[in-house]
Amino acid sequence: MTAPAPVRTSVVICVYTEDRWDDIAAAVESVRGQRRPPYELILVVDHNPDLHLRLKREHPDAVVVENAHERGLSGGKNTGVEIARGDVVAFLDDDAVAEPGWLAAFETGFADPAVAGVGGLTRPLWAAGRRPRWFPEEFDWTVGCTYRGMPVERAPIRNVMGGNAAFRREVVGGVGGFSTGIGRNVQGRRSRPLGCEETEFCIRLTQRRPGAVLLFEPDAAIGHKVSAERSRFAYFRARCYAEGLSKAIVTRSVGAGDGLSSERGYTFRTLPLGVLRGLGDAVRGDLAGLGRAGAIVVGLTWTTWGYLVGGLRLRRRS
């Protein structure tokens, strides 16, 4: 019996600013240090000619290209997929570092032909060296990380998190790629911290390809850097509001049934348990538990408000 051919994985890192030069270098080195090397490394530069030229000089072994589509993360990902030659395309955030077994774990997940995409475990790397005491693990998604309420073992999931994910290349193009109408189409410090492009993509994928499986694989682990700015409560609140706005766009695209299927369990089970856990911690002497419980309430409130505002805006436009 002939052994199956090894999976060829193209790694795509989307970049946009020289301010993250050291972070980009760390991300690239983490890919080069994989126990199972990538088939190719692709750096997609988001409409920044100076950064494009600098990266081409610094990383001659990588494929360095400019975003051929609309400015933003979705356009960058679509560009990467279009030029990739691997069977699988893996995405890594430009401010993240992959553990040495990252790609090997992804490729193991694709041993099942029904698996169309695999998402990994993303741990926060706090700029201060530790988590703010008020910051609840249930809201680690606000800083692009795996959060309490997600599976802790390999399991099917509705959607992956975009900064640590891999898809079969033919699947991405086959369902139309990532939507440029969702997410951070204007990257930079003044842009609203929108998201959900990978959520909409994953739901659209499974709607158009019934039977396709998306898998959470905790062994595909990365560390994601969390800046001091994103550790502040003001960012937390803004990110929650932006998530609500984004979810309104997602549900308009794929329907509320699929668009909010995971959120229902999260809202009515995970978050109440988180509040109780925080209050219990406070009773046991950890007064920061009150802050975590309060942050959960504020986070849910602002996300819900964003969703309602976003839905109203969409209805007015239609």
Side-chain angles (χ1 to χ4, degrees), residues 34-90:
Q34 291 297 299
R35 289 197 290 266
R36 186 173 299 178
Y39 181 66
E40 62 186 345
L41 171 61
I42 301 170
L43 304 178
V44 182
V45 184
D46 194 18
H47 298 271
N48 187 332
D50 291 339
L51 179 58
H52 175 247
L53 291 175
R54 187 178 177 187
L55 286 170
K56 285 181 74 72
R57 290 193 300 266
E58 186 73 17
H59 301 290
D61 58 324
V63 180
V64 183
V65 298
E66 295 183 275
N67 179 3
H69 298 285
E70 184 177 347
R71 182 185 298 273
L73 189 55
S74 291
K77 287 184 174 182
N78 290 335
T79 298
V81 171
E82 288 164 2
I83 68 167
R85 297 175 297 152
D87 310 301
V88 167
V89 180

Side-chain angles (χ1 to χ4, degrees), residues 99 101-106 118-122 164 216-222:
E99 295 188 5
W102 178 63
L103 283 184
F106 271 155
V118 182
L121 173 68
T122 303
N164 180 15
F216 175 70
E217 174 51 73
D219 288 340
I222 70 170

Side-chain angles (χ1 to χ4, degrees), residues 101-116:
W102 178 63
L103 283 184
F106 271 155
E107 293 177 4
T108 299
F110 286 105
D112 181 350
V115 173

Side-chain angles (χ1 to χ4, degrees), residues 279-314:
L279 295 176
D281 290 342
V283 170
R284 289 186 291 272
D286 178 10
L287 295 182
L290 293 175
R292 293 190 290 273
I296 290 173
V297 173
V298 171
L300 175 59
T301 301
W302 280 86
T303 304
T304 303
W305 177 241
Y307 179 77
L308 295 173
V309 171
L312 180 60
R313 290 176 180 174
L314 290 171

Side-chain angles (χ1 to χ4, degrees), residues 148-192:
R148 188 191 295 270
M150 289 185 65
V152 295
E153 299 178 344
R154 179 187 290 191
I157 53 176
R158 183 195 66 180
N159 64 272
V160 303
M161 303 191 74
N164 180 15
F167 298 95
R168 296 189 191 276
R169 177 170 58 87
E170 58 88 14
V171 168
V172 180
V175 298
F178 295 89
S179 173
T180 57
I182 301 175
R184 303 187 193 196
N185 294 321
V186 180
Q187 299 219 33
R189 294 179 180 174
R190 295 187 179 182
S191 64
R192 190 182 293 279

Side-chain angles (χ1 to χ4, degrees), residues 187-269:
Q187 299 219 33
R189 294 179 180 174
R190 295 187 179 182
S191 64
R192 190 182 293 279
L194 299 171
C196 289
E197 62 275 350
E198 74 286 341
T199 301
E200 191 274 343
F201 171 78
C202 288
I203 296 173
R204 177 161 36 94
L205 187 161
T206 53
Q207 286 179 340
R208 296 187 183 182
R209 298 203 172 191
V213 175
L214 298 173
L215 199 64
F216 175 70
E217 174 51 73
D219 288 340
I222 70 170
H224 186 260
K225 298 178 182 178
V226 182
S227 66
E229 178 185 0
R230 294 188 178 189
S231 303
R232 298 190 180 105
F233 186 74
Y235 179 84
F236 172 86
R237 190 176 59 184
R239 180 68 186 87
C240 290
Y241 179 74
E243 183 75 1
L245 294 175
S246 300
K247 279 293 191 305
I249 300 173
V250 170
T251 56
R252 180 69 174 265
S253 173
V254 301
D258 289 335
L260 297 178
S261 59
S262 295
E263 286 72 14
R264 293 188 183 95
Y266 173 77
T267 299
F268 295 111
R269 183 175 60 254

